[in-house]
Amino acid sequence: MLYFRNDYGAGAHPAVLEALCRTNLERTAGYGTDRYCQEAAETIRALCRCPEAAVHFLAGGTQVNKTALAAFLRPYEAAVAAASGHICVHEAGAVEQDGHKILTVPTPDGKLTPPLLRAAMAGPFNEHTVIPRLAYISNTTELGTVYTRRELWELGEACRELGLLLYCDGARLGSAMDAGGTDFPDYAAACDAFTIGGTKNGLLFGEALVIVNPALQPGFRNCMKQQGAMLAKGRLLGVQFQAVLKDGLYRALAAHANAQARRLAEGLEALGVLLLAPAESNQVFPILPDGAVEELGRRVEFEVERKMDGGRTCIRFVTAWHTPPEDVDALLELGAGLLA
Amino acid sequence: MLYFRNDYGAGAHPAVLEALCRTNLERTAGYGTDRYCQEAAETIRALCRCPEAAVHFLAGGTQVNKTALAAFLRPYEAAVAAASGHICVHEAGAVEQDGHKILTVPTPDGKLTPPLLRAAMAGPFNEHTVIPRLAYISNTTELGTVYTRRELWELGEACRELGLLLYCDGARLGSAMDAGGTDFPDYAAACDAFTIGGTKNGLLFGEALVIVNPALQPGFRNCMKQQGAMLAKGRLLGVQFQAVLKDGLYRALAAHANAQARRLAEGLEALGVLLLAPAESNQVFPILPDGAVEELGRRVEFEVERKMDGGRTCIRFVTAWHTPPEDVDALLELGAGLLA
Amino acid sequence: MLYFRNDYGAGAHPAVLEALCRTNLERTAGYGTDRYCQEAAETIRALCRCPEAAVHFLAGGTQVNKTALAAFLRPYEAAVAAASGHICVHEAGAVEQDGHKILTVPTPDGKLTPPLLRAAMAGPFNEHTVIPRLAYISNTTELGTVYTRRELWELGEACRELGLLLYCDGARLGSAMDAGGTDFPDYAAACDAFTIGGTKNGLLFGEALVIVNPALQPGFRNCMKQQGAMLAKGRLLGVQFQAVLKDGLYRALAAHANAQARRLAEGLEALGVLLLAPAESNQVFPILPDGAVEELGRRVEFEVERKMDGGRTCIRFVTAWHTPPEDVDALLELGAGLLA
Amino acid sequence: MLYFRNDYGAGAHPAVLEALCRTNLERTAGYGTDRYCQEAAETIRALCRCPEAAVHFLAGGTQVNKTALAAFLRPYEAAVAAASGHICVHEAGAVEQDGHKILTVPTPDGKLTPPLLRAAMAGPFNEHTVIPRLAYISNTTELGTVYTRRELWELGEACRELGLLLYCDGARLGSAMDAGGTDFPDYAAACDAFTIGGTKNGLLFGEALVIVNPALQPGFRNCMKQQGAMLAKGRLLGVQFQAVLKDGLYRALAAHANAQARRLAEGLEALGVLLLAPAESNQVFPILPDGAVEELGRRVEFEVERKMDGGRTCIRFVTAWHTPPEDVDALLELGAGLLA
C-alpha cells in the first residue's frame, strides 16, 4: 500500500531517534526542568529573536491548545476561530471541557482574515454573552491553506485593534513556513502565543508552545501540571526539539513534504483533477469519481474528507518528511490509469 | 553524583528503546488504533485473565488519573483517598479542575483500609454534600508502602459493600506486585479500574489503564481525546508496553529496583538510621541529622521529604531498574562515614 | 412611557403576591422539601398526566438550562440547538462553563425541525468529536415562533430515532401553549425534560423543570445544590407555581399577553409594517425606518433587535400578562402617526 | 411545635414584604440594572464607607460563594478554609465544580487564625501543587462562633502578608456584627470581598456581594450571568436589601435573634447543659442525653448536629428575627422538665 494517510503515521526522523538513544541512560531532573529543555528553549528563543518568550514543551496538539486557552482566558471569555478550525471540530470539545465557548466564523478556505474577524466582533457582546478574547488560527489550516507573511502581520494588527489575543496552532508550522514564506520571528511578532508542531514534522511526539506576551506567562506550568500535560521525563521533548531545530532540519523536513505535495497536486491537476482547496502545503484534497476512490483505496492509504454531489468524493492525501518521491510517482501513475 | 532522586530520571530500558527503533519507520494507523496497541492490550488482558477488560494507553500518571475520574464520576460525585494520595497533593488540583472533590482520609502509612473507608463513608452524605463514589488508592503508596493480596481483596469487598468503585493508581505497580506478592489478576478482581505504570519501570513514558467494570468502559476514548490524552502516534505506547510485558521484563525490572531499595534500607537500619515508613518497595525514607543531609547532598541526588523536629530531616531515596548495586554500596559507605 | 420592553419588567400577578403574603410567616422545611413544593409538583404531574415525572423548582432560566444540561450529559456529549437559541447566544457561555459544546444549526425561524436535526446529525461524529446527545429547543423561540402539536410530536420522534434527548426550554411555555395549541401532556410525551417558565408569566421568579425520562432523574438535586440553584426558602417557588397552576391562571395570563401581541401585530401590518417573523406569540419584531424607531424611542420602551440595511431597524415589542389593551391602542396610534 | 430548626424557615420581615408589594407593578430594567439595585448598592457603599466597592446582588449563599471564587481565582489557584467551612461540607462540591480545590484547616471552633493560616501556607507549594490564593472565612462560623474586630483585622493583615485574598461569607453577617462588635467598615477594611446575607436575616432571599479590591471587580457580571446567578427581575433584590439596610433594620433583626439565643444558652447552661461551642451568635449547640433529644423532638423542631459518645447527642437550636421570646421560655421549660 502507498501511504498518504497522514503525517503522523511513522515514528521519528533518524536524527531525532539517535539523539534519544544517545541520551537515554543519562539521569536528569524531571518535568522539563532539565538542561535539554533549557537548550531547546534557548534555541527557539534565538530562532524567534524573542529573548523574553516563555517556551514550554507538551506532548500533543489538542493538549497544548486546550492548556493554553484554559490558561489564557477568564471563565466568560471565548475564542474566535474558523468554523473548520481544529479546536472546533476535531478535539472532542476539549476547549469547552475547560469552560470556554468558541465563536465560529465560516470561511471559504479555513483562514481568518481581518474583515472576517471584524465582522465576528461586531457583536453585540455584553454581560449576557461570552466576550471574545482570543483569535485562534492554525497554520497550515485544516484545508492545507497557508498564511503569508503579510496576512499574518495584518491579522496581528487587526487583533490588537480589536482587543483580541492572537494564538496560532502550528501543528504543521514547518510546512506553513516553507509554503508561506514566513519564519519564526514573524510568528513571534504577530502572535501572543503560537506552537511549533513536532509530531507531524520529525519528532516521535511533541509541540513547543511559545508564549510571547509576558502577561500570559505566569502560572503556565501550574496549568500544564493541572491538565496532566507535564511529562515526567520532560527532557524527551527537549532532546527531540533540539535535534530538529538546532541546525535547520525542521525546515528541511517540511520543505521535503511540501515539495512532494506540490508534485502530487501538479500531477493530479495535469490529469484534470479538481482540488477542493489550493494545494499550498503538504495536504492535497482531490475530488474524484466515487469509483476511482474505491479503486484507489485498494492500493493507497488516504482519508475521505467528504462525500460530494455528482457521484464524487473529496479525499485527502498527506505527504510527510518520509514520503518517498517514488511513491508520489506511483500514486500519479495509478491515478492516470484510473482516470484515463 | 550518586543518583537516588527518583525512578524517572533516565530514559527507557534498552529493550524498549530497541523496539521503538525497530518499528520506527513503519506507518500505522494513529491514535492507538494500530496493531501494536492491540497486541499490548491483548497481552494485558491475558496477564489479568480478564478478557473483557478495556485497555487504554496514556502518556502520564496525572493524565490517566484525571481522565479516568472525569470519565467515571457524575458531576457531584467525589473520590475518597488517603490524605497523602498523589491526586490530593501532587497533581495541581487536576481532579478538581474537572469538577470533582476529593474527600481525604488521614492514614499513618498512606494506605486506605476497610475501617478507614467505612469511617469516611459514615457521612452524613446528602443532597447538600458531595456523594463519595470512588475510592482511590495508589500501590505502591506515596510512602512506599504496599498492599498485600489480602488487603487488596478486603478493600475490594469493602468498596462493593459501600457502593464505591475501587481505582488503583499503579504508577509503581511493578514494584507493588513484587513487594506485596500480588499479580495482575488480583487487581482485575479487586478493582473497577487500575493503571499499570510504565514511566517509572522501563518505558520512556506511558501508563496503561485497565477498565475492568463494563459500566465504566463506554465513551472512554472520547474522554481521552477531550482531555488531550490521545497520542497521535499512539503505537509508541503499545510498542513500549508490549516490550516489557510480553515476557516478564516488567516484573524483573521492578524486582531489581526493590532489591536495591531493600539492601539500602537494611544497610541504613544497620547504621541505626530510623525510617519514616517501612521500606517495602523502591522508596526509602531515612530520617537523618540535618548536618548529614547537607553533607550527603554534595555527593548524592535525592529529595527532601520534610523537615522534622530535633534538627532532623526526612529524605527520600528512590531506586529504579537502572540503579547499579554498587551505587547502593557507595551510598551506604557514605552514610557510614557521615553517621560514624 | 409605554412599556413593551420585555415580559419580566414588572413583579408578580396579584394572586401570586397574595399567596406569598398569606404564607409568609409560616415556618417550613427548607430547600424545596416543604409541602408547597410538593403540592405544586403534584399539580404539574397531574397537568402533564405524567405521575412519574420528577419536578424541580429553580430560580431562573439560565440556571435551569445550565443545571439540566450539566446533569444530563456526559463530559464529551454535546447539545444541538438552533443558532439563535438562548443557550447559544444569551447565557454568557453557561453551558460551556460546565464543559459542554453546543452544535448550532442555522434556522430561518428559530425552530429545529426533523430534517434540520437529521442534517446536523449526519456527522461524522467519532472519538475525535463531541457526540451530540441532546436537542435543545425553546418554545416560544427567541424569534417568537411557536411549535405546533404536530411539530413537537415529530421532533420527539426524530430525536428518539436519532438517539437524542429532547429538552424544551419553556421560559415562555404559557405563551407557546396558547399560540401553538399545545398542552402540558404534549411536552411530557415529546420531551425527556422541559421547563415551565414562571418569571415571564406571573411569578416574581421561578422555572419548573419537569424530568420525564426516568434515567435522567437520579442525582438531580445534588446537581442543583452544586450549581448554587437550590433556594433556601424553596417554598417560595412552590407557593408561586401553585398559585398560577392550580386553576388555570397560568394559561389565562399567557392568553392575555398573546392577544395583545396579536392585536399589535395586526395593527402594525395594517399600517404596512413588515415583521421579521410571524407574530405567533407575545413577541413582535417590526422592521421600521430608523427615523421612526428613534422617534418611537421617546415615548415607548422596547429593545432593538438589529440594524438592517436600507436605513431600517428591527425592533422588538413584548407583551405580558400585565400589558393594558389601551397601551396597545396607544402604541398603534403612535405608529400610525409616525408612518403616515 | 416550637421552631428552632433554622433561620430560613419563614418568609420575609413585614417591612420587606411591604416594599415588594408596594413596588410590584412598577416596570423597571432587568438583571439588576434598575434604580432599586442602584440605591441599595449606594446604601451599602455608604454603610461600608467604601465608595469604590462594587456591589452585586445574588439569590443564595452557595451561588454567591461559587460565583465569587470562580471569578477571583485562576484555574490552579485554591481556597484555604476551616475544615468545617460551609464551602467544604455543605455546598455539594460547588467550588470544585468550577475547578478549584479547597485546602482545609482543622480548627477547634470553626475560625481561621493567623497562626493556622501561616501553618497552612507553609507548603511546600510549587508547580505540582495547587497555589493557595484566597482565604475563605464565614462569620458567623458554622459553629456559631464569631470574629472580633481585632481578629478580623489581624486576619486581614496575615492574608496580605501571605499573598492571600480574604473573602468573608457573611450569610449571617448581621448576627456576626451584633455579636462580635464589628461593623460594615471593618469588613471593607479587612476583606477583599465579603457578603451581606439577607436570606437568614429578614429577606425572602438574597445575598449582597461587596467587592472591595478593584482588581477583582472587572467581568464579575459576566461571571454571574454565566453561573445562572443573574436574576431577571433583579430589582427584587435591590428592593429587599434597601428595605432592611436603609434605616438599621438589618442590625435590629440580628440583635433580636442573638438576644434570644443568648437567653436560650444561658438558660440551658443554668440547667447544667454542656454546649459544643460558646453560644456567641444565633446558634446554640447543646449536648443532651439521647433520651432527652428524642423526647424534645416531639415538641420542638431542631437539627441534629452529630451523635456523641456516652449516649449523648449534640443538637442545634437556631433563633431568628422572628423567634418569639416566649418560645425560648417554653423551650427552656421543656428542657427543665426533661433534664430534672
Side-chain angles (χ1 to χ4, degrees), chain C residues 17 27 29 81 83 106 113 115 128 131 149 160-161 188 192 198 214 218 228 233 288 290 304 316 328 332 334 339:
Chain C
L17 207 55
R27 291 153 178 176
T113 63
H128 297 272
I131 303 296
R149 199 171 172 184
R160 276 182 284 277
E161 167 202 326
D192 294 274
K233 302 184 189 178
L288 297 171
D290 291 350
V304 170
R316 185 183 74 156
V328 172
L332 285 171
L334 260 175
L339 299 168

Side-chain angles (χ1 to χ4, degrees), chain B residues 31 70-71 74-76 99 126-129 131 218-219 221-223 225-226 230, chain C residues 31 70-71 74-76 99 126-129 131 218-219 221-223 225-226 230:
Chain B
Y31 301 110
R74 294 197 59 196
Y76 55 88
N126 53 51
E127 58 203 27
H128 297 271
T129 68
I131 303 295
R221 279 179 59 85
N222 296 73
C223 288
K225 179 69 190 177
Q226 186 177 48
M230 194 184 272
Chain C
Y31 301 110
R74 294 198 58 196
Y76 55 88
N126 53 49
E127 58 202 28
H128 297 272
T129 68
I131 303 296
R221 278 179 59 85
N222 295 73
C223 288
K225 179 68 190 179
Q226 187 177 48
M230 194 184 272

Side-chain angles (χ1 to χ4, degrees), chain C residues 12 16-17 19-26 204-205 231-237 239-240, chain D residues 7-21 58-60 197-207 231 236-237 239-241 243-244 253 321:
Chain C
V16 169
L17 207 55
L20 285 173
C21 291
R22 180 170 28 87
T23 58
N24 183 56
L25 289 180
E26 285 183 37
L204 285 180
F205 64 95
L231 204 65
K233 302 184 189 178
R235 78 162 189 242
L236 300 176
L237 295 161
V239 165
Q240 292 183 87
Chain D
D7 37 13
Y8 48 86
H13 185 273
V16 170
L17 207 54
E18 187 279 327
L20 285 172
C21 291
L58 292 90
T199 306
K200 291 170 176 165
N201 197 32
L203 271 60
L204 285 180
F205 63 96
E207 312 289 303
L231 204 65
L236 300 176
L237 295 161
V239 165
Q240 292 184 86
F241 268 105
V244 295
L253 295 179
W321 60 268

